[in-house]
């Protein structure tokens, strides 16, 4: 057992202490009471989950004693589509631990409480931020998933869930409830469960989320990009869904074994691998053209790949050559290493030449390999599929039973994970500037149009920079009335080009954003977005390529490739667990020296690039950092160069200050 102290006794201790807290203590909440509040919140949520009753987060009255008003929204869990307390659709929780952050239990006035456990054996870590409210007690201000990189407040914002402004003076806390309310909350916890023994398999779990559409908000003819991110690999699964996959091994259908093992492989891959899924024979009988890309190769959200795998139902023929030929269009950048994994229990049945198709596929780019898992094959069939791997520069794996099949996929995971990362990005060659603005004064180029100008919030600072302040509700880059949007009255260049913006800003509210775009209107733009969020342990830098599209006066549809640069091997490995000091040092450089944002056009593809110099820190040397997003491919590109400095709608009170040091349009023809 993890602890001899049961959750029931923890709750009793919490409520007993609540009854004897003196007013002086209540005004200075200790870290122990913050920890107890999170324990009680988790236990109350678990009791409802085990009982099959309405989730705690769907009940505003029940959550207001725990959460600030911003997060207490009726039906919240149902509207999010999954359980943010467990970070999953279902739960089998063991090894639960609730404890203060060992390095910074109080950070910037907020308590930092870690909740770690295993869900179905997989380790999970959540960081709860709690703030002191009017009566001196704590309330949960946000929940951050260290594994998946989301915050509860961010999920709510992305889902369009409006919430009231947080006023700590008006919050209802456990210590402000009536006796009846206290007893009701205490009764909601199942006594006798030991910490670490919560809960078992739960019935009635919500169905898996539907696979998201990849081209929401795009015009006809615009396609998701090639998923190119520096230092990463692509892996495309090709799953045989011909009718023979209903055959059984050890009493289990081969398709069931393949699905289970394939889902396990996805979980074993590291964060440097983007995955996609193709299937053949899964929709129609006797149709050799039945080949479909179910998921494009990309960094898919947690829970997105599994449902796509599960959706495959064997029905048809085995067009292996056609699938390999179709796979050639799944990898947009020949300079990025790529793997194809073909899973098949039979030979080509549509007259194609799979070996020639594999050779052509492997020749299309640097590091492209075609691997094959031959499942339950005869010896002559194995030799035929071995040819595909040999000519595809890959590896052939034999799997005569479910155990060998699982071992084969584990070997493939090791092969892909051990692949060396792409080389460090080299400094870009010097480019010729088509247009340049240095903001040296006494004025700026007359070609600039300043939309909704407010001169009190922008001025040249006299040192070669444009100062822009953002404050208030209408400071979002897609806002119709957003103030001080800079639009260059000049057409876009013909051919390849870069829009370049050098900007400095301190993270003051946790909602700052700098936007560089091709601008038609506030609701018709494609742009690069550098933006701050306040994670569970402090500010973090994020970077996105975003397309918004829609009529004026309405909320536009949006396509976005979003990346947290403070997590999972980007600028640093994990801000919240071991690199907070380094993260703060990077933020200091962003404020004092700044970063460069690029919006690149190459042919029909647009990508966004974030560049800055990372500081020397402890054993780390100073280095140039460059990150490039996936691409959005646009057949048509029109608009004007533009930039904008603002705040997310959830900004804390106060202004945000930005210093724009340089803007340029550079030719990309010499690359």
């Amino acid at each position: 057992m993890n602890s001899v102290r049961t959750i029931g006794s923890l709750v009793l201790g919490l409520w007993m202490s609540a009854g004897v807290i003196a007013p002086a203590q209540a005004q200075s909440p200790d870290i122990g009471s913050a920890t107890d509040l999170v324990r009680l919140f988790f236990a109350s949520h678990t009791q409802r989950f085990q009982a099959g009753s309405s989730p705690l987060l769907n009940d505003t009255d029940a959550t207001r004693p725990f959460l600030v008003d911003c997060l207490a929204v009726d039906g919240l869990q149902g509207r999010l589509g999954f359980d943010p307390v467990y970070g999953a659709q279902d739960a089998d929780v063991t090894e639960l631990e609730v404890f203060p952050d060992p390095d910074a239990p109080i950070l910037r006035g907020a308590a930092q409480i870690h909740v770690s456990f295993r869900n179905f054996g997989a380790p999970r870590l959540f960081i709860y931020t709690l703030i002191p409210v009017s009566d001196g007690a704590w309330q949960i201000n946000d929940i951050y998933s260290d594994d998946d990189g989301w915050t509860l407040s961010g999920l709510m914002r992305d889902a369009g869930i409006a919430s009231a402004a947080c006023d700590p003076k008006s919050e209802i806390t456990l210590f402000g409830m009536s006796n009846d309310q206290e007893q009701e909350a205490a009764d909601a916890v199942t006594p006798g469960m030991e910490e670490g023994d919560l809960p078992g398999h739960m019935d009635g779990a919500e169905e898996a989320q539907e696979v998201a559409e990849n081209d929401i908000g795009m015009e006809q003819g615009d396609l998701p990009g090639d998923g190119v991110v520096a230092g990463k690999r692509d892996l495309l699964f090709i799953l045989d869904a011909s009718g023979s996959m209903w055959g059984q091994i050890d009493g289990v259908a081969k398709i069931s074994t393949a699905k289970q093992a394939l889902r396990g492989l996805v979980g074993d891959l590291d964060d440097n691998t983007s995955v996609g899924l193709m299937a053949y024979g899964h929709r129609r009988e006797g149709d050799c053209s039945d080949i479909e890309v179910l998921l494009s190769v990309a960094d898919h959200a947690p829970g997105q790949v599994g449902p796509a795998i599960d959706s495959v139902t064997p029905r048809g023929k085995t067009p292996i050559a056609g699938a390999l030929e179709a796979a050639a269009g799944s990898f947009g950048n020949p300079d990025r290493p790529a793997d194809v994994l073909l899973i098949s229990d039979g030979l080509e049945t549509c007259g194609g030449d799979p070996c020639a198709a594999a050779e052509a596929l492997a020749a299309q780019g640097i590091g492209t390999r075609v691997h094959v898992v031959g499942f339950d094959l005869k010896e002559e069939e194995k030799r035929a599929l071995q040819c595909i791997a040999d000519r595809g520069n890959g590896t052939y794996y034999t799997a005569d039973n479910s155990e060998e099949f699982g071992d084969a996929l584990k070997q493939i995971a090791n092969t892909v994970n051990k692949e060396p990362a792409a080389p460090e990005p080299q400094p870009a060659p010097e480019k010729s500037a088509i247009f340049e603005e240095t903001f040296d004064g006494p004025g700026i180029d007359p070609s600039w149009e300043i939309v909704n100008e407010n001169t009190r919030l922008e001025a040249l600072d006299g040192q070669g920079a444009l100062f822009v302040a953002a404050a208030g509700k209408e400071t979002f880059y897609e806002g119709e009335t957003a103030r001080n949007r800079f639009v260059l009255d000049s057409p876009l260049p013909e051919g390849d080009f870069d829009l370049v913006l050098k900007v400095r800003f301190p993270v003051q509210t946790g909602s700052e954003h700098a936007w560089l775009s091709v601008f038609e209107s506030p609701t018709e733009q494609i742009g690069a977005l550098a933006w701050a969020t306040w994670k569970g342990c402090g500010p973090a830098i994020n970077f996105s390529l975003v397309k918004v599209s829609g009529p004026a006066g309405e909320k536009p549809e949006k396509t976005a490739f979003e990346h947290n640069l403070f997590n999972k091997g980007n600028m640093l490995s994990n801000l919240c667990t071991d690199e907070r000091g380094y993260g703060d040092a990077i933020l200091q450089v962003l404020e004092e020296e700044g970063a460069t944002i690029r919006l690149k056009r190459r042919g029909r593809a647009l990508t966004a690039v974030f560049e800055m110099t990372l500081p020397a820190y402890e054993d780390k040397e100073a280095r140039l950092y460059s990150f490039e997003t996936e691409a959005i491919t646009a057949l048509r590109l029109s608009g004007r160069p533009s930039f904008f400095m603002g705040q997310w709608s959830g900004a804390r009170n106060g202004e945000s200050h930005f210093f724009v040091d340089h803007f340029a349009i550079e030719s990309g023809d010499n690359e």
Side-chain angles (χ1 to χ4, degrees):
M1 297 294 180
N2 299 72
S3 171
V4 297
R5 190 179 185 189
T6 67
I7 287 184
S9 64
L10 286 173
V11 173
L12 286 174
L14 175 61
W15 289 101
M16 290 176 64
S17 64
V20 297
I21 287 181
Q25 282 182 294
Q27 296 304 315
S28 302
D30 63 278
I31 195 66
S33 62
T35 307
D36 284 343
L37 180 73
V38 174
R39 284 196 183 107
L40 182 57
F41 173 74
F42 195 98
S44 300
H45 176 83
T46 295
Q47 187 275 334
R48 285 181 176 236
F49 213 2
Q50 286 183 316
S53 57
S54 174
L56 180 67
L57 290 180
N58 282 347
D59 185 344
T60 301
D61 291 337
T63 53
R64 286 193 69 202
F66 299 105
L67 307 178
V68 295
D69 285 346
C70 296
L71 305 183
V73 176
D74 271 331
L76 176 59
Q77 182 169 318
R79 296 170 70 180
L80 292 177
F82 84 120
D83 183 345
V85 178
Y86 298 136
Q89 299 283 352
D90 204 349
D92 180 13
V93 173
T94 58
E95 301 180 30
L96 171 68
E97 293 184 65
V98 183
F99 56 94
D101 186 300
D103 297 322
I106 305 292
L107 179 68
R108 301 177 178 93
Q112 308 291 305
I113 306 300
H114 290 211
V115 177
S116 70
F117 53 87
R118 287 183 176 272
N119 191 12
F120 291 102
R124 305 287 292 168
L125 175 62
F126 295 84
I127 299 169
Y128 286 65
T129 304
L130 293 85
I131 61 173
V133 293
S134 59
D135 58 4
W138 295 106
Q139 284 204 305
I140 297 167
N141 188 49
D142 213 347
I143 303 173
Y144 170 68
S145 169
D146 185 66
D147 306 285
D148 300 323
W150 52 256
T151 61
L152 180 57
S153 61
L155 291 175
M156 294 172 65
R157 181 194 68 231
D158 293 343
I161 301 174
S163 57
C166 289
D167 180 4
K169 295 180 181 179
S170 66
E171 296 293 345
I172 295 177
T173 71
L174 291 170
F175 306 108
M177 292 196 296
S178 67
N179 291 336
D180 290 341
Q181 288 173 312
E182 290 180 3
Q183 188 59 51
E184 181 180 346
D187 291 342
V189 182
T190 303
M193 292 189 296
E194 295 189 0
E195 187 174 8
D197 289 345
L198 293 172
H201 182 75
M202 300 174 185
D203 296 328
E206 297 173 10
E207 293 294 324
Q209 290 174 278
E210 293 292 327
V211 177
E213 294 293 332
N214 288 323
D215 49 2
I216 295 174
M218 293 185 176
E219 298 175 5
Q220 186 175 3
D222 296 351
L223 299 172
D226 53 22
V228 176
V229 180
K232 303 195 75 172
R233 290 192 66 88
D234 291 334
L235 175 57
L236 176 68
F237 303 119
I238 302 179
L239 180 57
D240 182 348
S242 61
S244 60
M245 286 292 283
W246 283 120
Q248 294 192 353
I249 295 180
D250 299 328
V252 179
K254 287 183 281 186
I255 188 63
S256 299
T257 299
K259 287 180 180 180
Q260 181 178 1
L262 196 53
R263 292 188 67 149
L265 171 59
V266 172
D268 289 338
L269 296 172
D270 64 25
D271 296 318
N272 286 326
T273 304
S274 298
V275 300
L277 176 65
M278 175 188 290
Y280 58 76
H282 63 298
R283 295 176 295 183
R284 298 179 294 274
E285 296 182 12
D287 185 351
C288 287
S289 67
D290 185 10
I291 301 167
E292 182 183 17
V293 176
L294 299 172
L295 286 178
S296 60
V297 177
D299 293 325
H300 296 288
Q304 194 173 15
V305 179
I309 294 172
D310 290 342
S311 70
V312 176
T313 301
R315 288 189 175 92
K317 297 181 74 67
T318 310
I320 296 176
L324 293 173
E325 291 166 359
S330 300
F331 307 107
N333 191 319
D335 296 327
R336 175 164 167 163
D339 290 278
V340 174
L341 172 57
L342 169 68
I343 298 170
S344 179
D345 77 333
L347 302 182
E348 168 78 31
T349 61
C350 290
D353 186 345
C355 297
E359 185 175 12
L361 180 58
Q364 79 164 21
I366 298 173
T368 300
R369 302 174 299 187
V370 182
H371 310 287
V372 180
V373 176
F375 194 21
D376 187 32
L377 297 176
K378 299 175 182 178
E379 287 302 319
E380 60 271 21
E381 293 174 329
K382 292 177 183 178
R383 288 192 293 271
L385 291 190
Q386 173 83 53
C387 169
I388 298 174
D390 290 345
R391 292 176 63 176
N393 295 331
T395 304
Y396 177 79
Y397 300 88
T398 294
D400 291 330
N401 53 53
S402 59
E403 183 177 355
E404 290 181 357
F405 189 87
D407 290 342
L409 293 195
K410 288 180 181 179
Q411 293 180 56
I412 290 169
N414 291 334
T415 299
V416 175
N417 288 342
K418 289 180 181 179
E419 190 68 25
E424 287 288 325
Q426 299 299 314
E430 293 294 327
K431 300 178 182 179
S432 57
I434 301 171
F435 176 89
E436 188 171 19
E437 178 65 76
T438 60
F439 305 104
D440 289 333
I444 62 176
D445 191 287
S447 298
W448 287 110
E449 174 190 0
I450 306 177
V451 181
N452 299 324
E453 184 174 15
N454 185 328
T455 56
R456 295 188 302 107
L457 298 179
E458 51 91 7
L460 296 178
D461 70 354
Q463 299 179 353
L466 171 69
F467 169 75
V468 180
K473 295 181 179 180
E474 297 298 333
T475 58
F476 195 53
Y477 66 84
E478 64 189 51
E480 297 278 356
T481 59
R483 296 184 289 271
N484 296 329
R485 185 190 307 276
F486 286 75
V487 182
L488 189 64
D489 189 14
S490 174
L492 295 172
E494 296 291 336
D496 295 344
F497 64 84
D498 290 5
L499 301 186
V500 185
L501 187 72
K502 177 71 179 294
V503 61
R504 295 175 278 133
F505 61 92
V507 178
Q508 296 168 265
T509 70
S511 294
E512 285 77 15
H513 69 269
W515 171 249
L516 175 67
S517 73
V518 173
F519 177 85
E520 281 274 12
S521 70
T523 56
E524 289 285 350
Q525 303 182 69
I526 299 178
L529 183 70
W531 49 287
T533 53
W534 200 278
K535 296 174 60 174
C537 55
I541 301 173
N542 302 264
F543 191 62
S544 304
L545 175 67
V546 184
K547 176 176 179 178
V548 292
S549 180
E554 298 182 10
K555 184 177 179 62
E557 293 184 325
K558 185 177 297 184
T559 300
F561 297 109
E562 298 184 349
H563 298 274
N564 179 356
L565 301 186
F566 269 23
N567 203 9
K568 298 187 184 301
N570 289 318
M571 288 185 178
L572 41 79
S573 296
N574 194 308
L575 173 68
C576 289
T577 57
D578 53 14
E579 293 187 291
R580 182 177 295 112
Y582 186 38
D584 286 346
I586 294 173
L587 292 172
Q588 191 69 24
V589 172
L590 179 64
E591 176 180 354
E592 296 177 355
E593 300 178 20
T596 298
I597 303 168
R598 291 180 179 269
L599 184 63
K600 294 175 54 176
R601 178 184 182 177
R602 298 295 183 270
R604 294 176 176 177
L606 284 93
T607 60
V609 180
F610 183 93
E611 301 169 334
M612 69 177 293
T613 299
L614 302 185
Y617 185 83
E618 295 182 346
D619 60 342
K620 296 178 173 61
E621 297 182 356
R623 65 186 178 95
L624 176 65
Y625 174 83
S626 179
F627 179 90
E628 185 165 358
T629 68
E630 303 91 331
I632 288 177
T633 304
L635 297 181
R636 300 169 300 281
L637 185 65
S638 61
R640 295 180 291 167
S642 176
F643 67 86
F644 174 76
M645 307 297 144
Q647 295 174 333
W648 294 99
S649 58
R652 294 170 174 84
N653 292 333
E655 289 185 350
S656 297
H657 298 156
F658 302 84
F659 296 87
V660 183
D661 293 310
H662 182 254
F663 172 88
I665 305 174
E666 296 176 347
S667 171
D669 294 336
N670 59 341
E671 288 193 354

